[in-house]
Amino acid sequence: LNDDEEIGSPHSKKTLRAVAEGIPYGLVFEPGLEDGAVVSSQSGVRWIKLTSTGKAAHAGLEPENGIDACLDLAHKVRKVAELAQPRKGLTINPSVIEDGTKPNVVFDKASVTIDDFPASAPRPTGRPCRRPWSASASAARAMSTRNA
């Protein structure tokens, strides 16, 4: 049993990998659904980190000299979230946004971690996923905007 799975298994990952080495399959227990139905499959999840780079400046004295990575990222997050197709099994959830170090600054870097729940995720292999994201072409177009 893994009680820290939802947060990336920071405490159990090493032990789980050691005891699971050479075992091709495992049982994943999920709570039942509201109507009492058993959860018999999962779509899997991929985490995608999107980072926007701008140019730092003092927000009160010279904001015109900065390029706000936070604003740029906000536009991109909205476009990426619009790629979700829940009826086709693709759920996209921008979940953790990181930016800045203090107020009164036009930030030069901002990032978001996006949960991608595809309907047909690759089978887990214990190695990082090397397959392109299922919506990569659309995502690239959505993220091609630049902050002017």
Side-chain angles (χ1 to χ4, degrees), residues 83-122:
L83 297 172
Q85 299 176 33
R87 290 185 180 183
K88 293 184 179 181
L90 177 62
T91 304
I92 297 173
N93 177 47
S95 57
V96 178
I97 296 177
E98 303 170 271
D99 62 59
T101 55
K102 57 186 176 181
N104 209 24
V105 174
V106 175
F107 296 116
D108 63 344
K109 187 172 182 182
S111 65
V112 62
T113 300
I114 300 168
D115 307 328
D116 170 20
F117 296 94
S120 58

Side-chain angles (χ1 to χ4, degrees), residues 41-123:
S41 66
Q42 294 179 316
S43 64
V45 64
R46 286 177 278 207
W47 290 287
I48 301 161
K49 188 159 191 170
L50 173 62
T51 300
S52 181
T53 304
K55 180 181 174 189
H58 190 283
L61 297 176
E62 52 180 16
E64 68 281 0
N65 292 333
I67 299 173
D68 196 327
C70 295
L71 291 177
D72 184 54
L73 184 67
H75 293 290
K76 291 174 182 176
V77 165
R78 182 173 175 218
K79 288 184 177 191
V80 170
E82 289 172 356
L83 297 172
Q85 299 176 33
R87 290 185 180 183
K88 293 184 179 181
L90 177 62
T91 304
I92 297 173
N93 177 47
S95 57
V96 178
I97 296 177
E98 303 170 271
D99 62 59
T101 55
K102 57 186 176 181
N104 209 24
V105 174
V106 175
F107 296 116
D108 63 344
K109 187 172 182 182
S111 65
V112 62
T113 300
I114 300 168
D115 307 328
D116 170 20
F117 296 94
S120 58
R123 290 180 180 257

